[in-house]
Amino acid sequence: MYTLVQSTPNRGFGVFATHPIERGQRILKEKLIFIGPPRVPQSTGSRLFDMVALYSLFNELDAERRNDYLALHVSEPIKKEIKTRALRVLDPNTPKQIRKLIVMIAAIAATNIFFLDTKRRVEIRPGVFMNGMETSGVFMYASRFNHSCCANAYWGWNDMVGALTVHAIKDIAADEEITVAYLLPYQDQHRRQQGLSQYDFICTCPACDQTTERGKTSENRRERILRLKFDLDFFFARNLTRRMSGPLNTAVVDSFGVEQPFQAIEELERLLSAEELTTHNLSENYKATAQWILWPTRPAFKSMFDLARALLWYHKALANDILLKGEDHEDVANLRDQIEFMEERQKILRDEMVVRR
């Protein structure tokens, strides 16, 4: 174990490195404490749960894990919201101490819940399974990671191992706090702080300090990243999913001086690198670029030149996914299969060219 949970001056508990951790190294692989029950449908917010169902799940834990769970951070704004709701939904005859415990369990879950990208039925512990319909859960150790808009680690769900994983996206020094991003880190500073307020948390990272030149420069870069990301996502959705062609947004072309998606992604890479941000969305853009090169003809009928160009982008996506998700992730396996198929096709084309000569 290369980490230690300890108190921080103004952020509650946090996770710290006990040894140097290299970029790309897996920091954590953790199973769920329990699967979160379905969320209660509502018009506002997304963190209200079936409190009675949560109470039942909590009681299935052993005494040690129940105590560990109750020691997790709880957001006061969330707790207040759930306490108000409890007055409406809980049986009035529920004993006061039980009511108080139910509210606390639900507030901790709402503060620390992870919404997971599951695609298959996964055994998370002996005899307990999760499928794609159950996409939330609570983790004891992962809940201790604090947020930073300049995070040095990335978390994600791995169906292949049935666990949440955390990987270093920068080299981390011994005694340095390990942080993850709770929300999209390239939103503007106001929206980031607004999103973090539900956790009763104010971010003081360099990107959020607008009194410094670094903070102001960061804000400008992140605004540009968001604009580029939005237009690239729209471009690929239009050109791939809807099978419609069209250029990049005129405003983006004029503002950034780019006319092709390749140029837009290269500019996006430059901005993300300057901000030391690594994001899975960039991997998605890499894959979409490769698909755009190959569309509308299947890879088996593409020229050697197009296959080579597409392979470059697939290899970039593979490197990004390995960094963020690890070698044992399903996305990595799928990309390796795609690359292997295209390299086989490339070899066939190369051999055909030799024969023709």
Side-chain angles (χ1 to χ4, degrees), residues 151-320:
N152 54 20
Y154 177 91
W155 76 269
W157 175 257
N158 188 327
D159 269 341
M160 304 295 279
V161 297
L164 179 141
T165 61
V166 177
H167 290 86
I169 56 176
K170 305 174 187 177
D171 289 336
I172 301 172
D175 300 322
E176 182 181 349
E177 185 176 7
I178 303 170
T179 56
V180 297
Y182 290 179
L183 39 69
L184 198 64
Y186 44 81
Q187 299 176 85
D188 64 68
Q189 192 256 357
H190 174 72
R191 289 186 181 180
R192 296 198 306 270
Q193 295 289 5
Q194 193 174 45
L196 291 169
S197 64
Q198 65 182 309
Y199 302 102
D200 204 16
F201 179 83
I202 298 174
C203 186
T204 57
C205 75
C208 285
D209 187 353
Q210 297 299 296
T211 64
T212 66
E213 197 59 38
R214 157 76 191 274
K216 292 173 184 175
T217 301
S218 179
E219 184 73 356
N220 180 262
R221 284 197 196 112
R222 292 179 191 227
E223 181 185 339
R224 291 166 69 83
I225 289 168
L226 189 62
R227 288 184 63 195
L228 274 173
K229 276 290 301 162
F230 177 82
D231 195 63
L232 277 169
D233 289 345
F234 178 75
F235 172 85
F236 287 123
R238 181 183 58 201
N239 283 271
L240 295 174
T241 308
R242 299 180 183 178
R243 296 294 188 264
M244 297 167 61
S245 61
L248 286 169
N249 187 296
T250 305
V252 170
V253 173
D254 293 342
S255 300
F256 294 94
V258 298
E259 296 183 3
Q260 297 293 331
F262 310 110
Q263 295 171 310
I265 290 181
E266 286 166 357
E267 174 65 5
L268 188 59
E269 285 179 313
R270 186 189 70 78
L271 291 166
L272 287 167
S273 176
E275 284 297 293
E276 296 185 319
L277 291 174
T278 306
T279 166
H280 72 285
N281 290 324
L282 194 56
S283 178
E284 294 305 311
N285 286 142
Y286 289 152
K287 286 182 274 189
T289 303
Q291 291 161 8
W292 181 68
I293 292 169
L294 298 174
W295 183 83
T297 308
R298 288 187 296 142
F301 301 103
K302 275 291 179 181
S303 69
M304 178 83 82
F305 177 67
D306 286 334
L307 283 173
R309 288 167 68 213
L311 274 167
L312 285 173
W313 292 102
Y314 273 128
H315 276 292
K316 280 192 170 194
L318 179 63
N320 196 246

Side-chain angles (χ1 to χ4, degrees), residues 67-228:
N67 289 334
D68 288 342
Y69 178 85
L70 291 173
L72 292 176
H73 173 68
V74 59
S75 160
E76 287 304 318
I78 289 176
K79 185 179 176 182
K80 183 178 178 181
E81 179 186 7
I82 287 178
K83 192 173 181 179
T84 300
R85 182 172 173 269
L87 295 173
R88 301 195 306 270
V89 301
L90 292 182
D91 186 334
N93 297 318
T94 304
K96 184 177 180 180
Q97 285 302 107
I98 298 297
R99 178 187 294 270
K100 187 176 179 181
L101 180 58
I102 289 173
V103 168
M104 180 60 72
I105 292 166
I108 290 172
T111 302
N112 296 282
I113 205 78
F114 286 78
F115 298 111
L116 311 172
D117 181 18
T118 62
K119 301 182 180 72
R120 59 173 71 196
R121 192 169 185 260
V122 177
E123 187 172 22
I124 59 170
R125 60 179 183 270
V128 180
F129 293 86
M130 178 172 69
N131 57 52
M133 297 299 291
E134 296 164 321
T135 55
S136 66
V138 179
F139 299 84
M140 201 74 75
Y141 203 89
S143 296
R144 294 299 190 185
F145 287 95
N146 280 320
H147 165 87
S148 174
C149 304
C150 305
N152 54 20
Y154 177 91
W155 76 269
W157 175 257
N158 188 327
D159 269 341
M160 304 295 279
V161 297
L164 179 141
T165 61
V166 177
H167 290 86
I169 56 176
K170 305 174 187 177
D171 289 336
I172 301 172
D175 300 322
E176 182 181 349
E177 185 176 7
I178 303 170
T179 56
V180 297
Y182 290 179
L183 39 69
L184 198 64
Y186 44 81
Q187 299 176 85
D188 64 68
Q189 192 256 357
H190 174 72
R191 289 186 181 180
R192 296 198 306 270
Q193 295 289 5
Q194 193 174 45
L196 291 169
S197 64
Q198 65 182 309
Y199 302 102
D200 204 16
F201 179 83
I202 298 174
C203 186
T204 57
C205 75
C208 285
D209 187 353
Q210 297 299 296
T211 64
T212 66
E213 197 59 38
R214 157 76 191 274
K216 292 173 184 175
T217 301
S218 179
E219 184 73 356
N220 180 262
R221 284 197 196 112
R222 292 179 191 227
E223 181 185 339
R224 291 166 69 83
I225 289 168
L226 189 62
R227 288 184 63 195
L228 274 173

